Amino acid sequence: MSDGPNTIRMGATDRGIRAAVALLRRGGTVAFPTETVYGLGADARVERAVAGIYRAKGRPARNPLIVHVADAAAADALIDLPEAGRAAGAAFWPGPLTLVAPVRDGAGIAPICRAGAPTLAVRVPAAPLALDLLRAFGGPLAAPSANVSGKVSPTSADHVMEELTGRIDGVIDGGDCAVGLESTILGFEDGRPVLLRPGGVTVEALEAALGPVAAAGIVEDAAPSAPGQMTSHYAPGAALRLGAEAPRLGEAWLGFGPDPARGSAIARNLSPDGSLEEAAFNLFAHLRLLDDLLGGRGTIAVAAIPARGLGRAINDRLARAAAPR
Ligand code: AMP
Ligand code: MG
Protein backbone atom coordinates (compact mmCIF):
# COMPACT_ATOMS: atom_id res chain seq x y z
CA MET A 1 0.00 0.00 0.00
CA SER A 2 3.04 2.28 0.18
CA ASP A 3 3.03 3.10 -3.49
CA GLY A 4 -0.35 4.82 -3.63
CA PRO A 5 -0.49 8.44 -4.76
CA ASN A 6 -1.81 9.71 -1.44
CA THR A 7 0.03 10.43 1.77
CA ILE A 8 -2.30 11.18 4.66
CA ARG A 9 -1.29 14.04 6.96
CA MET A 10 -2.48 13.37 10.50
CA GLY A 11 -2.66 15.69 13.49
CA ALA A 12 -0.83 15.16 16.78
CA THR A 13 -4.07 14.06 18.41
CA ASP A 14 -5.59 10.82 19.69
CA ARG A 15 -7.46 10.61 16.42
CA GLY A 16 -4.26 11.09 14.42
CA ILE A 17 -2.51 8.39 16.42
CA ARG A 18 -5.42 5.98 15.91
CA ALA A 19 -5.29 6.59 12.17
CA ALA A 20 -1.51 6.06 12.15
CA VAL A 21 -1.83 2.81 14.11
CA ALA A 22 -4.44 1.55 11.62
CA LEU A 23 -2.04 2.21 8.72
CA LEU A 24 0.87 0.57 10.56
CA ARG A 25 -1.21 -2.52 11.42
CA ARG A 26 -1.91 -2.94 7.70
CA GLY A 27 1.81 -2.99 6.99
CA GLY A 28 2.01 0.65 5.97
CA THR A 29 4.70 3.29 6.42
CA VAL A 30 4.01 6.31 8.64
CA ALA A 31 6.41 9.17 9.42
CA PHE A 32 6.28 10.52 12.95
CA PRO A 33 8.22 13.09 14.98
CA THR A 34 10.78 12.07 17.55
CA GLU A 35 12.97 14.47 19.54
CA THR A 36 15.82 13.81 17.06
CA VAL A 37 14.32 13.94 13.54
CA TYR A 38 11.16 12.60 11.87
CA GLY A 39 11.30 8.81 11.60
CA LEU A 40 9.68 6.70 8.88
CA GLY A 41 8.00 3.94 10.86
CA ALA A 42 6.79 0.46 9.97
CA ASP A 43 6.05 -2.71 11.96
CA ALA A 44 9.54 -4.05 12.73
CA ARG A 45 8.15 -7.62 12.98
CA VAL A 46 6.83 -7.71 9.43
CA GLU A 47 9.31 -8.11 6.56
CA ARG A 48 6.93 -6.70 3.94
CA ALA A 49 6.22 -3.60 6.06
CA VAL A 50 9.92 -2.89 6.65
CA ALA A 51 10.65 -3.44 2.96
CA GLY A 52 8.30 -0.49 2.36
CA ILE A 53 10.71 1.75 4.30
CA TYR A 54 13.68 0.77 2.13
CA ARG A 55 11.58 1.25 -1.02
CA ALA A 56 10.22 4.66 -0.03
CA LYS A 57 13.65 6.01 0.96
CA GLY A 58 15.61 4.35 -1.82
CA ARG A 59 17.78 3.09 1.04
CA PRO A 60 20.51 0.55 0.23
CA ALA A 61 19.58 -2.87 1.62
CA ARG A 62 22.95 -3.08 3.38
CA ASN A 63 22.10 -0.14 5.69
CA PRO A 64 20.39 -1.43 8.86
CA LEU A 65 17.52 0.34 10.67
CA ILE A 66 16.97 1.53 14.22
CA VAL A 67 14.08 -0.21 15.99
CA HIS A 68 12.09 2.02 18.35
CA VAL A 69 10.38 0.68 21.48
CA ALA A 70 8.40 2.26 24.33
CA ASP A 71 10.68 1.41 27.27
CA ALA A 72 13.91 -0.24 28.39
CA ALA A 73 12.12 -3.50 29.24
CA ALA A 74 10.95 -3.80 25.63
CA ALA A 75 14.52 -3.09 24.46
CA ASP A 76 15.84 -5.77 26.80
CA ALA A 77 13.53 -8.31 25.18
CA LEU A 78 15.14 -7.61 21.79
CA ILE A 79 18.88 -7.31 22.44
CA ASP A 80 21.44 -8.76 24.83
CA LEU A 81 23.07 -5.67 26.35
CA PRO A 82 26.30 -5.82 28.32
CA GLU A 83 26.44 -4.16 31.75
CA ALA A 84 27.59 -0.84 30.26
CA GLY A 85 24.67 -0.96 27.83
CA ARG A 86 22.16 -1.38 30.62
CA ALA A 87 23.77 1.53 32.44
CA ALA A 88 23.54 3.65 29.28
CA GLY A 89 19.87 2.78 28.84
CA ALA A 90 19.16 3.59 32.48
CA ALA A 91 20.94 6.94 32.19
CA PHE A 92 19.68 8.16 28.78
CA TRP A 93 16.40 6.45 27.90
CA PRO A 94 14.01 7.72 26.90
CA GLY A 95 16.26 9.93 24.80
CA PRO A 96 18.46 10.38 21.72
CA LEU A 97 20.68 7.34 22.31
CA THR A 98 20.66 4.16 20.18
CA LEU A 99 22.26 1.00 21.55
CA VAL A 100 23.60 -1.75 19.27
CA ALA A 101 23.94 -5.29 20.67
CA PRO A 102 23.42 -8.92 19.61
CA VAL A 103 19.79 -9.64 18.77
CA ARG A 104 18.11 -12.18 21.05
CA ASP A 105 16.82 -15.49 19.72
CA GLY A 106 13.09 -15.20 19.26
CA ALA A 107 13.13 -11.38 19.36
CA GLY A 108 10.67 -11.54 16.49
CA ILE A 109 12.23 -8.68 14.54
CA ALA A 110 12.25 -9.03 10.74
CA PRO A 111 15.87 -9.84 9.78
CA ILE A 112 15.76 -7.16 7.06
CA CYS A 113 16.00 -4.56 9.90
CA ARG A 114 19.54 -5.82 10.64
CA ALA A 115 20.68 -5.92 7.01
CA GLY A 116 22.54 -9.15 7.67
CA ALA A 117 24.25 -8.07 10.91
CA PRO A 118 24.03 -10.25 14.05
CA THR A 119 23.39 -7.06 16.02
CA LEU A 120 20.28 -4.89 16.24
CA ALA A 121 20.07 -1.13 16.91
CA VAL A 122 17.37 -0.14 19.46
CA ARG A 123 16.19 3.19 20.87
CA VAL A 124 13.56 4.45 23.31
CA PRO A 125 12.62 7.93 22.01
CA ALA A 126 11.68 10.72 24.40
CA ALA A 127 9.20 12.74 22.31
CA PRO A 128 5.78 12.23 23.96
CA LEU A 129 4.07 11.77 20.59
CA ALA A 130 6.50 9.01 19.58
CA LEU A 131 5.92 7.23 22.90
CA ASP A 132 2.15 7.61 22.55
CA LEU A 133 2.36 6.09 19.08
CA LEU A 134 4.55 3.18 20.23
CA ARG A 135 2.21 2.41 23.15
CA ALA A 136 -0.91 2.64 20.99
CA PHE A 137 0.71 0.43 18.33
CA GLY A 138 1.82 -2.02 21.00
CA GLY A 139 4.96 -3.25 19.24
CA PRO A 140 8.38 -2.26 17.88
CA LEU A 141 8.64 0.21 15.01
CA ALA A 142 11.58 0.23 12.63
CA ALA A 143 12.20 3.90 11.89
CA PRO A 144 15.12 5.48 10.04
CA SER A 145 15.02 9.17 9.24
CA ALA A 146 12.06 10.03 6.97
CA ASN A 147 14.03 11.38 4.02
CA VAL A 148 15.28 10.11 0.69
CA SER A 149 18.44 8.11 1.38
CA GLY A 150 21.57 10.27 1.54
CA LYS A 151 19.68 13.57 1.76
CA VAL A 152 19.23 15.99 4.65
CA SER A 153 17.18 14.57 7.55
CA PRO A 154 13.69 16.05 8.16
CA THR A 155 12.91 18.04 11.29
CA SER A 156 9.35 19.02 10.32
CA ALA A 157 6.33 17.36 8.69
CA ASP A 158 6.74 19.75 5.73
CA HIS A 159 10.26 18.42 5.13
CA VAL A 160 8.85 14.88 5.06
CA MET A 161 6.05 15.80 2.66
CA GLU A 162 8.42 17.63 0.29
CA GLU A 163 10.38 14.43 -0.33
CA LEU A 164 8.08 11.52 0.39
CA THR A 165 4.56 12.54 -0.65
CA GLY A 166 3.06 9.67 -2.62
CA ARG A 167 5.82 7.32 -1.44
CA ILE A 168 4.59 6.72 2.13
CA ASP A 169 1.15 6.15 3.66
CA GLY A 170 1.10 8.99 6.14
CA VAL A 171 2.82 11.50 8.38
CA ILE A 172 1.87 12.67 11.85
CA ASP A 173 2.49 16.41 12.08
CA GLY A 174 3.90 17.10 15.53
CA GLY A 175 5.76 20.32 14.73
CA ASP A 176 9.54 20.79 14.87
CA CYS A 177 11.86 18.21 16.45
CA ALA A 178 13.30 19.46 19.74
CA VAL A 179 16.90 18.22 19.30
CA GLY A 180 17.11 18.32 15.50
CA LEU A 181 20.03 15.86 15.11
CA GLU A 182 19.91 12.06 14.90
CA SER A 183 20.60 9.85 17.90
CA THR A 184 24.04 9.01 19.20
CA ILE A 185 24.77 5.36 18.32
CA LEU A 186 26.70 3.30 20.85
CA GLY A 187 27.98 -0.24 20.29
CA PHE A 188 30.07 -2.49 22.53
CA GLU A 189 33.33 -4.39 22.12
CA ASP A 190 34.13 -6.88 24.87
CA GLY A 191 31.52 -5.06 26.92
CA ARG A 192 33.16 -1.65 26.51
CA PRO A 193 31.24 1.22 24.88
CA VAL A 194 32.24 2.31 21.38
CA LEU A 195 30.86 5.42 19.70
CA LEU A 196 29.46 4.49 16.26
CA ARG A 197 27.89 7.86 15.47
CA PRO A 198 27.90 11.13 17.44
CA GLY A 199 24.41 12.55 17.97
CA GLY A 200 21.91 14.05 20.38
CA VAL A 201 23.58 12.67 23.54
CA THR A 202 27.03 14.25 23.84
CA VAL A 203 30.20 12.21 24.33
CA GLU A 204 30.84 14.30 27.43
CA ALA A 205 27.51 13.17 28.93
CA LEU A 206 28.15 9.54 27.96
CA GLU A 207 31.59 9.55 29.54
CA ALA A 208 30.31 11.20 32.72
CA ALA A 209 27.85 8.31 33.08
CA LEU A 210 29.87 5.36 31.71
CA GLY A 211 33.56 6.26 31.83
CA PRO A 212 35.73 6.32 28.70
CA VAL A 213 33.99 5.76 25.35
CA ALA A 214 36.14 4.57 22.44
CA ALA A 215 35.69 6.07 18.98
CA ALA A 216 34.95 3.85 15.98
CA GLY A 217 35.23 4.94 12.39
CA ILE A 218 32.25 3.12 10.94
CA VAL A 219 28.96 4.80 10.25
CA GLU A 220 26.28 5.48 7.71
CA ASP A 221 25.70 3.47 4.67
CA ALA A 222 28.96 2.02 3.41
CA ALA A 223 32.68 1.83 3.72
CA PRO A 224 34.39 4.88 2.24
CA SER A 225 35.01 4.29 -1.45
CA ALA A 226 38.67 5.35 -1.09
CA PRO A 227 40.91 5.82 1.94
CA GLY A 228 40.32 9.14 3.63
CA GLN A 229 37.02 9.70 1.88
CA MET A 230 33.85 10.02 3.87
CA THR A 231 30.59 8.59 2.63
CA SER A 232 28.27 11.29 1.35
CA HIS A 233 25.17 11.53 3.55
CA TYR A 234 22.91 14.27 4.97
CA ALA A 235 23.70 16.08 1.71
CA PRO A 236 21.90 19.05 0.13
CA GLY A 237 22.13 19.63 -3.64
CA ALA A 238 24.56 22.52 -3.17
CA ALA A 239 28.20 21.91 -2.29
CA LEU A 240 29.46 22.84 1.19
CA ARG A 241 32.63 24.73 2.08
CA LEU A 242 33.33 24.16 5.78
CA GLY A 243 35.21 26.23 8.36
CA ALA A 244 34.78 29.35 6.22
CA GLU A 245 35.63 32.85 7.49
CA ALA A 246 33.22 34.57 5.12
CA PRO A 247 31.29 33.79 1.93
CA ARG A 248 32.96 34.25 -1.42
CA LEU A 249 31.14 35.97 -4.23
CA GLY A 250 27.98 34.02 -5.12
CA GLU A 251 28.14 31.67 -2.13
CA ALA A 252 25.38 31.32 0.43
CA TRP A 253 26.44 31.73 4.08
CA LEU A 254 25.60 29.62 7.11
CA GLY A 255 26.94 31.42 10.17
CA PHE A 256 27.40 30.56 13.82
CA GLY A 257 27.79 33.01 16.69
CA PRO A 258 27.94 36.81 16.53
CA ASP A 259 28.00 37.33 12.82
CA PRO A 260 27.81 40.81 11.34
CA ALA A 261 26.38 41.04 7.83
CA ARG A 262 28.70 38.90 5.73
CA GLY A 263 27.93 40.33 2.37
CA SER A 264 25.93 37.38 1.08
CA ALA A 265 22.37 37.93 -0.05
CA ILE A 266 21.53 34.39 0.99
CA ALA A 267 22.47 33.92 4.63
CA ARG A 268 21.26 32.23 7.80
CA ASN A 269 22.76 31.91 11.26
CA LEU A 270 22.64 28.62 13.20
CA SER A 271 22.80 30.48 16.51
CA PRO A 272 23.71 34.17 16.83
CA ASP A 273 24.33 33.53 20.56
CA GLY A 274 26.72 30.65 19.85
CA SER A 275 24.45 28.01 21.42
CA LEU A 276 25.24 24.52 20.10
CA GLU A 277 21.76 23.32 21.14
CA GLU A 278 20.16 26.05 19.05
CA ALA A 279 22.54 25.29 16.17
CA ALA A 280 21.59 21.58 16.26
CA PHE A 281 17.91 22.52 16.25
CA ASN A 282 18.39 24.76 13.20
CA LEU A 283 21.01 22.81 11.23
CA PHE A 284 18.91 20.71 8.86
CA ALA A 285 16.14 23.29 8.36
CA HIS A 286 18.71 26.00 7.51
CA LEU A 287 20.57 23.69 5.11
CA ARG A 288 17.31 22.88 3.34
CA LEU A 289 16.32 26.53 3.13
CA LEU A 290 19.69 27.72 1.75
CA ASP A 291 19.72 24.81 -0.69
CA ASP A 292 16.23 25.77 -1.91
CA LEU A 293 17.25 29.43 -2.30
CA LEU A 294 20.29 28.33 -4.34
CA GLY A 295 18.14 26.02 -6.46
CA GLY A 296 20.17 22.99 -5.31
CA ARG A 297 23.33 24.31 -6.99
CA GLY A 298 26.34 26.43 -6.07
CA THR A 299 28.02 26.48 -2.67
CA ILE A 300 27.06 27.08 0.94
CA ALA A 301 29.98 28.43 2.98
CA VAL A 302 29.68 27.32 6.61
CA ALA A 303 31.32 28.97 9.63
CA ALA A 304 33.50 26.87 11.97
CA ILE A 305 31.56 25.08 14.72
CA PRO A 306 33.29 24.33 18.06
CA ALA A 307 34.20 20.62 18.39
CA ARG A 308 32.62 20.08 21.80
CA GLY A 309 29.21 18.94 23.05
CA LEU A 310 26.65 18.83 20.26
CA GLY A 311 29.24 20.52 18.04
CA ARG A 312 30.83 17.11 17.42
CA ALA A 313 27.61 15.73 15.95
CA ILE A 314 27.02 18.94 13.98
CA ASN A 315 30.53 18.74 12.51
CA ASP A 316 30.05 15.04 11.71
CA ARG A 317 26.88 15.82 9.73
CA LEU A 318 28.47 18.79 7.97
CA ALA A 319 31.53 16.71 7.00
CA ARG A 320 29.30 14.01 5.50
CA ALA A 321 27.17 16.62 3.73
CA ALA A 322 30.39 18.04 2.24
CA ALA A 323 31.87 14.65 1.29
CA PRO A 324 32.54 13.80 -2.37
CA ARG A 325 29.35 12.51 -4.01
P1 AMP B 1 19.02 6.59 10.52
O1 AMP B 1 17.94 5.92 11.30
O2 AMP B 1 18.62 7.03 9.16
O3 AMP B 1 19.66 7.67 11.34
O4 AMP B 1 20.15 5.49 10.27
C1 AMP B 1 20.36 4.45 11.18
C2 AMP B 1 21.82 4.18 11.31
O5 AMP B 1 21.97 3.28 12.41
C3 AMP B 1 22.46 3.44 10.16
O6 AMP B 1 22.92 4.27 9.16
C4 AMP B 1 23.61 2.69 10.83
O7 AMP B 1 24.76 3.52 10.82
C5 AMP B 1 23.15 2.53 12.26
N1 AMP B 1 22.84 1.13 12.59
C6 AMP B 1 21.65 0.53 12.58
N2 AMP B 1 21.75 -0.76 12.92
C7 AMP B 1 23.04 -0.99 13.17
C8 AMP B 1 23.79 -2.15 13.56
N3 AMP B 1 23.21 -3.34 13.77
N4 AMP B 1 25.11 -1.99 13.73
C9 AMP B 1 25.71 -0.81 13.51
N5 AMP B 1 25.07 0.32 13.13
C10 AMP B 1 23.75 0.24 12.97
MG1 MG C 1 19.11 8.81 8.02
Side-chain angles (χ1 to χ4, degrees):
M1 61 186 296
S2 299
D3 290 337
N6 298 315
T7 298
I8 304 169
R9 193 168 180 131
M10 293 158 285
T13 59
D14 287 349
R15 189 157 159 253
I17 286 175
R18 278 199 302 277
V21 166
L23 290 170
L24 291 166
R25 292 226 168 104
R26 277 150 54 193
T29 49
V30 176
F32 62 96
T34 78
E35 73 279 19
T36 61
V37 302
Y38 272 69
L40 180 58
D43 190 334
R45 301 162 297 193
V46 179
E47 171 103 10
R48 182 179 55 85
V50 178
I53 294 177
Y54 283 91
R55 193 166 59 239
K57 283 178 61 79
R59 185 175 176 104
R62 64 176 181 274
N63 194 0
L65 306 178
I66 296 172
V67 170
H68 293 66
V69 294
D71 52 45
D76 193 51
L78 300 181
I79 53 175
D80 185 13
L81 284 169
E83 194 59 39
R86 289 169 184 281
F92 298 102
W93 279 346
L97 178 69
T98 295
L99 298 178
V100 176
V103 69
R104 287 191 191 280
D105 287 343
I109 298 297
I112 185 179
C113 292
R114 292 185 278 118
T119 53
L120 179 70
V122 179
R123 180 164 99 84
V124 180
L129 192 70
L131 288 171
D132 286 349
L133 178 68
L134 284 164
R135 289 193 196 104
F137 179 64
L141 290 174
S145 53
N147 55 281
V148 170
S149 186
K151 300 290 184 193
V152 179
S153 296
T155 56
S156 75
D158 284 343
H159 295 165
V160 176
M161 291 299 264
E162 280 160 22
E163 282 183 18
L164 297 180
T165 297
R167 301 174 67 88
I168 63 176
D169 294 302
V171 55
I172 307 178
D173 186 350
D176 293 336
C177 299
V179 175
L181 281 179
E182 298 82 355
S183 59
T184 300
I185 304 182
L186 201 63
F188 303 90
E189 267 169 31
D190 300 324
R192 287 191 301 273
V194 179
L195 184 72
L196 300 179
R197 175 178 75 183
V201 170
T202 64
V203 174
E204 290 89 336
L206 281 175
E207 294 199 321
L210 306 175
V213 173
I218 69 130
V219 251
E220 311 304 351
D221 233 22
S225 51
Q229 246 186 13
M230 294 185 93
T231 307
S232 174
H233 211 98
Y234 310 105
L240 262 61
R241 187 167 68 81
L242 304 184
E245 300 253 320
R248 295 177 186 147
L249 194 65
E251 286 182 339
W253 174 246
L254 185 57
F256 175 81
D259 187 26
R262 289 286 194 166
S264 174
I266 302 179
R268 284 291 177 281
N269 194 307
L270 291 169
S271 173
D273 297 337
S275 155
L276 291 167
E277 285 71 26
E278 186 182 21
F281 177 84
N282 285 324
L283 178 67
F284 290 140
H286 281 12
L287 280 177
R288 279 175 182 266
L289 189 79
L290 293 175
D291 197 37
D292 284 349
L293 292 171
L294 287 172
R297 293 181 301 275
T299 301
I300 303 169
V302 186
I305 310 290
R308 58 178 155 74
L310 286 178
R312 297 201 214 194
I314 294 171
N315 283 325
D316 171 83
R317 303 306 187 270
L318 286 170
R320 288 174 201 288
R325 319 253 161 102

